[in-house]
Structure formats: structure tokens, C-alpha cells
Amino acid sequence: MTTHQGFAAATSDVATMVGRSVRLSRRNADTLIVSIVLPLLMMTLFVFVFGGAIDTGTEYINYVVPGILLLTTGYGAANTAMAVADDMTTGMIDRLRSLPIRSFAVVAGHVAASVARNAASTAIVVLASLAMGFRPNADLTDWLAAIGLLLLYVIALSWLAAALGVIAKSVESASALSFFMLFLPYLSSAFVRTETMPGFLQPISRHQPITPVIEAVRSFLTGTPLGSNGWLALAWCSGLLVLSSTLASVLYRRRTSR
């Protein structure tokens, strides 16, 4: 089957697959709701139950919200891995290959829909945090910097989730493979300062990729010192985006060419 040619046709193919992924998300509203409710419950738990016992040198809710935002994107990306795995294992890819459409538009559509879902869920979490007492002192430039960095992080994480979905043998294994994306924020400065962790954990938590992203977002929103975290966060997210998108493309071509 001959595919459409040209950039406009490729864009149309991706747009069609984005629409399909969004409709699938609406049909699986329970999964979408859980990916929003869980971070809200975590924020409520840490702010109102644990927050009083954790000394961060500032109002705890102002400290924890940036970490909750990255946790929210992790839950959303995990759903993308399972959606891609479902297409790869249920014959959907074979059916699409019989149509004049770029087969890779399927993965690109899942990634674009993931970014849209994560943007919506992150906005909901920000509004809820403001209602709970989060008081950022960011100006317009700081907000734009924080939103831009979070967007880059979401895109990179969505491509990584897509790559995991491609190699997974089932939806269940895709869920298991994406577990580390949900676990990494707990080994970062998301909930407590890295200095309070055991000595052997401090270098791991301080130098893993999520910590500079959280610290940079925290700096933009609440005015804590930025230091080198801005450049480190940009480097980590850009490197992850290049690596994960390339990996997803190669793995997808290899698996669908069999």
C-alpha cells in the first residue's frame, strides 16, 4: 500500500492518530481520572499529614508542588506506554499497515495526545494546589520558563513511554516497565531535601535527572536559587528527548518490519 507523500500528508496522518488517541482517552476516562486524582491525593497526604514534620526552610506546600507536578506527568506518561503496547499487541498496527497512512504516525499520535492530557492534568493540579495554599511569587517570565521546561520534560517522558510500549510484550508488562518513571521522583528532592537522606542516597538523589528539573521549576515558581539547575534540567530533558524519540523510532521500525 502506497502512503501519502509530503509534509502536509504526514501532518494529516499524525493529526488523525492524535484524534484517535484522544477519543481512546475519553473512553478510558477512569484511567485518566486516576492519573489526576493520585497526584492530588499524594499532595494532600504530604501537605496535611507529613508536611508538618518535614523541615524544608519554607512553607511545605510551596516546596512540594513542583515535585507533585513532575509526579503528575509521570502518571500520564505511564498511560501512554500501556496505550502503545495495546496497539502493538492487539493487531491494530497490522490493520493500519493496510491503509495509506504512515505507520509511525500511530506512535507520534500517542505522544501528542499524551502531551495534551498531561497539560490538562498539570493545569488541574496547579489550580488545586493554589486552592490548598500554594503561593508562587513568579512573574510572567518565570511562569513561561517553568511551563516551557515542564513541556519539554513531558514530551521527552512521553517518547520514553512510547519506546517502552513498543518493546513491551503486553499491556501489563508496559505498566511494569514504566514503573521507574513513577518511582524516580521519590528518590529526588521532590518531597524532602536531599541533605536529609542517608549518605549513600544523597549522590544518587542529587545527580539523577529529575532533581535538577524539580529544582529549576521550584526556582522559577518560588524564587529559590537557580544555580546550575536550569542548564542541567535543559540538558537532561533535551538529551532524554533525543534518545527516547530515536529509540522509539528504531524499535518501532524493527518490530513492525517482521
Side-chain angles (χ1 to χ4, degrees):
M1 180 67 66
T2 303
T3 59
H4 299 150
Q5 299 297 319
F7 178 77
T11 303
S12 176
D13 291 347
V14 173
T16 301
M17 290 299 103
V18 171
R20 171 180 174 268
S21 297
V22 171
R23 288 192 294 274
L24 288 175
S25 298
R26 287 164 51 190
R27 292 172 189 171
N28 296 309
D30 52 344
T31 302
L32 182 61
I33 291 172
V34 168
S35 68
I36 298 173
V37 169
L38 276 179
L40 289 176
L41 289 177
M42 291 294 295
M43 183 166 60
T44 303
L45 180 68
F46 273 90
V47 170
F48 295 116
V49 179
F50 301 139
I54 300 175
D55 181 15
T56 59
T58 183
E59 287 290 330
Y60 187 68
I61 189 169
N62 290 337
Y63 181 88
V64 80
V65 165
I68 294 294
L69 295 180
L70 264 71
L71 193 67
T72 304
T73 61
Y75 281 117
N79 294 334
T80 303
M82 291 185 283
V84 172
D86 186 64
D87 277 350
M88 299 298 296
T89 57
T90 57
M92 186 65 194
I93 299 299
D94 294 331
R95 277 180 278 172
L96 289 174
R97 289 171 68 184
S98 66
L99 300 174
I101 186 172
R102 287 166 174 77
S103 57
F104 190 68
V106 179
V107 179
H110 279 299
V111 171
S114 170
V115 174
R117 288 195 305 269
N118 273 296
S121 59
T122 301
I124 292 173
V125 170
V126 169
L127 292 175
S129 69
L130 291 172
M132 292 171 62
F134 177 51
R135 294 295 177 265
N137 54 12
D139 58 21
L140 178 60
T141 303
D142 293 329
W143 273 106
L144 291 177
I147 292 171
L149 182 57
L150 283 172
L151 185 61
L152 180 61
Y153 176 78
V154 168
I155 295 173
L157 208 63
S158 297
W159 274 111
L160 178 61
L164 296 176
V166 170
I167 62 174
K169 299 300 182 184
S170 66
V171 175
E172 290 76 14
S173 62
S175 177
L177 288 172
S178 58
F179 170 76
F180 78 95
M181 291 192 299
L182 309 179
F183 185 69
L184 272 183
Y186 296 98
L187 286 179
S188 71
S189 62
F191 302 105
V192 298
R193 298 174 61 178
T194 57
E195 295 82 2
T196 64
M197 297 180 182
F200 72 96
L201 271 181
Q202 290 186 20
I204 299 173
S205 61
R206 192 175 298 130
H207 299 296
Q208 62 127 313
I210 293 195
T211 294
V213 180
I214 291 174
E215 291 298 330
V217 173
R218 183 174 288 140
S219 176
F220 291 137
L221 296 183
T222 64
T224 56
L226 179 61
S228 60
N229 290 310
W231 293 111
L232 284 173
L234 194 60
W236 271 115
C237 291
S238 300
L240 180 61
L241 174 59
V242 172
L243 177 65
S244 57
S245 59
T246 303
L247 188 64
S249 303
V250 171
L251 292 173
Y252 182 83
R253 281 198 297 269
R254 181 175 297 177
R255 185 164 178 181
T256 55
S257 63
R258 296 172 184 170

